[in-house]
Amino acid sequence: MITAQDIAEFERHGVVCLRGVFASEWVDLVRNGIEKDLSSLGPLHTIQQGRDAIGYFVTDFCMSQRIPEFRAFALESVAGEIAAKLMRSQRCNFFYDGLWAKGPGTPKRTRWHQDQPYYPVDGRQVCVIWMPVDQVAAESSLECIRGSHRWNRWFQPELSRDARVLFGENEHTFERMPDIDNARASYDIASWDMARGDCVAFAGLTIHGAPGNASDTRARRALSTVWLGDDAVFAQRPGKVRPYFEGHGLRPGDSMDCDYFPRVWPRLSSDAKSAAGMLRFGAGSPFRASI
């Protein structure tokens, strides 16, 4: 499914749109999981706009710890293999999943940001797969700035709801995000019409965001999954990361290839997974997260 051209585009631009890589059964499974989550949101959810605003904008994280559909997608779909091939990694570990749901006519956009500064992860091999379960026009779809993963710049994480910086106003390790929307012509911004089974894969340092949902009839619901490759190591950030993971026992510089963040590629047999403790992922696992 993944061609040499896809890999070259991912490496050069930090983002690639992949067409029809997920079978309809996987899309339906994820959509069912999203409907379950929206009917009973998890402890890590955020209502991203005021309740008196038009439509709705909801995020949630680490749903795979509660909802079997998301867990099955993380451990059994081709997502981990796709990420491994794009990163040219010999293995791939699942980090976490996130929901981004915007109702019809929701005007609020997702702020421009990089994902990796939010994470306790250093290394080049971090890949995010964004998969909508609804047909999405480019005007409502994810937007990525091509080549931004190679700027060698890390930007201060900001919370989507209120733009509050995550690591404090006086933290100078990270730059403030420039005003991209008022200088869009200065950037190589890519977005795509998305159909069932399509996804966008981007690097952990690729700058991205999303407009509101321009459709008055369709929701725009998408699952993002984050994947770690060979060189990913645990890192210490200057403040509390989002999500905040506890109980893993990792120290700065330790490999992220561990039971806590299960390896999904190459695939292990059920016996090998059991021996490695990976079947504990989900209910009863040592995994804990908070925001």
Side-chain angles (χ1 to χ4, degrees):
M1 295 181 298
I2 305 302
T3 68
Q5 182 177 346
D6 294 330
I7 297 170
E9 186 170 349
F10 180 80
E11 291 177 339
R12 179 182 179 186
H13 296 306
V15 60
V16 61
C17 181
L18 303 172
R19 300 295 187 184
V21 291
F22 291 105
S24 60
E25 291 83 357
W26 285 116
V27 180
D28 290 340
L29 185 78
V30 170
R31 184 177 59 195
N32 291 341
I34 289 174
E35 290 172 353
K36 281 186 180 181
D37 192 44
L38 290 175
S39 68
S40 181
L41 288 164
L44 306 188
H45 84 275
T46 300
I47 306 298
Q48 296 287 354
Q49 62 180 27
R51 295 188 180 275
D52 57 345
I54 298 172
Y56 64 84
F57 179 9
V58 179
T59 59
D60 203 357
F61 299 107
C62 301
M63 302 87 63
S64 52
Q65 296 303 305
R66 302 180 296 108
I67 299 175
E69 286 86 348
F70 294 118
R71 188 156 57 248
F73 182 83
L75 297 182
E76 300 171 23
S77 78
V78 296
E81 179 181 358
I82 289 170
K85 290 181 177 179
L86 291 175
M87 295 187 292
R88 298 185 189 269
S89 180
Q90 296 300 308
R91 60 165 174 79
C92 190
N93 293 69
F94 175 66
F95 188 40
Y96 83 101
D97 50 358
L99 168 66
W100 302 83
K102 296 183 180 182
T106 300
K108 184 172 180 177
R109 70 166 293 119
T110 306
R111 301 180 64 82
W112 292 103
H113 65 286
Q114 298 166 307
D115 280 0
Q116 198 166 346
Y118 291 83
Y119 306 154
V121 181
D122 281 343
R124 296 177 298 103
Q125 291 172 315
V126 178
C127 178
V128 185
I129 294 179
W130 187 86
M131 186 191 79
V133 298
D134 307 290
Q135 182 178 342
V136 181
E139 62 181 345
S140 301
S141 191
L142 185 74
E143 297 180 319
C144 296
I145 299 180
R146 291 189 179 103
S148 56
H149 68 307
R150 294 186 284 108
W151 290 358
N152 196 29
R153 299 167 70 185
W154 289 57
F155 294 94
Q156 169 75 267
E158 299 178 351
L159 301 184
S160 293
R161 178 176 171 83
D162 56 11
R164 180 161 43 93
V165 296
L166 195 60
F167 299 146
E169 292 287 352
N170 296 322
E171 169 52 48
H172 301 300
T173 305
F174 300 90
E175 300 180 47
R176 294 303 301 270
M177 184 65 66
D179 187 355
I180 292 168
D181 283 326
N182 284 325
R184 290 178 66 92
S186 301
Y187 301 96
D188 186 1
I189 299 175
S191 64
W192 300 265
D193 293 329
M194 305 289 290
R196 284 172 54 89
D198 297 346
C199 73
V200 174
F202 57 92
L205 289 177
T206 298
I207 296 173
H208 60 286
N213 183 3
S215 173
D216 291 329
T217 58
R218 284 196 303 266
R220 199 228 66 183
R221 300 165 297 176
L223 174 71
S224 64
T225 49
V226 186
W227 308 91
L228 308 176
D230 297 333
D231 76 347
V233 297
F234 184 74
Q236 190 73 44
R237 297 287 181 246
K240 187 176 180 180
V241 295
R242 296 287 182 102
Y244 180 71
F245 300 99
E246 301 175 283
H248 46 68
L250 297 175
R251 296 183 177 183
D254 286 350
S255 170
M256 304 290 284
D257 184 28
C258 61
D259 290 356
Y260 193 100
F261 302 111
R263 184 188 298 190
V264 298
W265 182 259
R267 298 191 185 281
L268 297 176
S269 67
S270 295
D271 289 343
K273 286 181 181 179
S274 180
M278 291 181 180
L279 294 185
R280 294 179 296 159
F281 177 72
S285 78
F287 185 105
R288 297 191 301 278
S290 62
I291 58 172

